[in-house]
Amino acid sequence: MTQKFTGSDQYVASSELMSTVNIAVTLQKPLLIKGEPGTGKTMLAQAVADALQKRLIIWNVKSTTKAQDGLYVYDVVQRLYDSQFGGHGVDDIASYIKLGKLGEAFQSPEQVVLLIDEIDKADLEFPNDLLWELDQMEFYIPETRETIKAQQRPIVIITSNAEKELPDAFLRRCVFHYIEFPDQPQMEQILRVHFGDLERNLVRQTLAAFYWVRQLRDIEKKPSTSELVDWLRALIAGGVDPDCITRDIPFAGVLLKKDKDLRTLARNRR
């Protein structure tokens, strides 16, 4: 019987998200995850890997990343250097081929979870350049005349911060899920994962202040879950009286990271 993802002790997932993960695994399609920063997009891949007891391979995408980087790299410079200085094995081109993260996932004898993190950071052609590989689960290395084909089709999770629109052809090949920002009951669950038992009034006052700050109209960068976790650590370390939290918003610089947002908070506290 196929193992199902049902969340984990370290990751609070909604029933809709768990269902979507399992549908993507069943259909053998990449799972595209969008959502606000701090909604657990990247952590989802680790949670899925842990729950299904599979190895996680992470491909961190940057603005300079090309699709080719995930397949393989041919180190022609090292080969030229070796040929000039008498290195052994220069005729063995395969020894100068290094598989990228996608190639590593394909070559694994066991099924892995492959995270392609923040795909929208790369240029617009990046997703289209992966269409064949993600469809067919194979790619060709002309230098060695070798085809690398997935031994076990990986579970592919792709995250996007919606910085760029992804191509329609790419979107058609994915199962999509948008992670909504957690409501207060779900956020309380998340906090208890990080902190264990917490004094009830401290949690109630912290969450009330946090969601009040997030709803301020002129806030440009709303605080995320990670900032909330850091803020609660600061409140505990500072020995702040819970009854003062909603009034004073102490250590506001842990929550808000822009001068304009701090000024907005100051105006609304008066």
Side-chain angles (χ1 to χ4, degrees):
M1 183 177 177
T2 304
Q3 193 173 2
K4 298 290 186 181
F5 175 63
T6 56
S8 72
D9 293 340
Q10 299 301 313
Y11 189 89
V12 178
S14 67
S15 58
E16 291 82 5
L17 177 55
M18 289 187 287
S19 296
T20 304
V21 169
N22 291 321
I23 288 296
V25 172
T26 300
L27 297 179
Q28 297 186 327
K29 287 183 174 290
L31 172 60
L32 175 61
I33 297 291
K34 288 187 179 182
E36 280 188 43
T39 50
K41 300 186 297 297
T42 299
M43 291 175 60
L44 172 65
Q46 184 66 64
V48 171
D50 290 345
L52 303 184
Q53 298 181 329
K54 298 184 184 298
R55 181 164 67 99
L56 174 64
I57 296 176
I58 302 175
W59 183 7
N60 289 306
V61 176
K62 302 177 181 178
S63 60
T64 56
T65 302
K66 304 297 182 185
Q68 178 68 34
D69 300 336
L71 306 181
Y72 73 96
V73 175
Y74 171 35
D75 194 348
V76 65
V77 174
Q78 184 63 51
R79 188 182 182 213
L80 178 62
Y81 179 88
D82 289 346
S83 67
Q84 290 176 335
F85 294 95
H88 296 291
V90 293
D91 293 333
D92 181 13
I93 297 179
S95 65
Y96 297 95
I97 299 292
K98 180 180 179 182
L99 292 179
K101 297 298 185 180
L102 195 60
E104 184 183 340
F106 285 3
Q107 201 171 62
S108 173
E110 298 180 347
Q111 187 182 48
V112 300
V113 176
L114 172 65
L115 170 63
I116 305 177
D117 200 24
E118 297 189 322
I119 193 172
D120 52 326
K121 279 189 174 180
D123 64 42
L124 292 173
E125 291 305 313
F126 179 86
N128 280 335
D129 290 343
L130 289 176
L131 292 180
W132 170 266
E133 288 77 14
L134 292 178
D135 264 351
Q136 303 299 318
M137 287 289 154
E138 67 178 39
F139 62 90
Y140 182 65
I141 303 178
E143 289 84 358
T144 59
R145 300 178 182 178
E146 178 187 12
T147 296
I148 302 295
K149 189 174 180 64
Q151 297 186 45
Q152 298 287 339
R153 192 178 186 99
I155 298 170
V156 181
I157 297 176
I158 303 169
T159 69
S160 169
N161 286 325
E163 293 181 7
K164 298 187 186 85
E165 285 296 325
L166 299 174
D168 288 346
F170 180 80
L171 294 175
R172 283 196 297 271
R173 288 163 169 81
C174 297
V175 174
F176 174 72
H177 184 83
Y178 185 90
I179 300 181
E180 298 288 348
F181 196 83
D183 58 18
Q184 290 200 31
Q186 188 178 8
M187 188 64 83
E188 183 171 344
Q189 286 182 274
I190 293 170
L191 291 181
R192 295 196 183 281
V193 166
H194 285 275
F195 293 94
D197 291 332
L198 288 168
E199 197 270 317
R200 177 62 187 156
N201 191 41
L202 173 62
V203 174
R204 186 169 60 85
Q205 298 292 345
T206 301
L207 288 177
F210 173 74
Y211 281 95
W212 176 78
V213 171
R214 276 184 57 86
Q215 61 82 37
L216 290 175
R217 188 176 60 182
D218 294 328
I219 294 293
E220 287 186 356
K221 185 186 182 305
K222 294 181 179 181
S224 67
T225 306
S226 60
E227 275 115 15
L228 172 61
V229 170
D230 288 343
W231 190 44
L232 186 51
R233 287 197 179 105
L235 296 172
I236 294 170
V240 175
D241 181 354
D243 292 327
C244 298
I245 293 174
T246 54
R247 182 189 68 224
D248 299 335
I249 317 292
F251 311 124
V254 180
L255 277 181
L256 301 174
K257 306 301 171 65
K258 290 191 174 186
D259 292 345
K260 179 180 180 296
D261 291 344
L262 287 171
R263 290 195 297 269
T264 298
L265 174 63
R267 286 197 305 273
N268 282 273
R269 276 193 304 186
R270 291 172 185 164

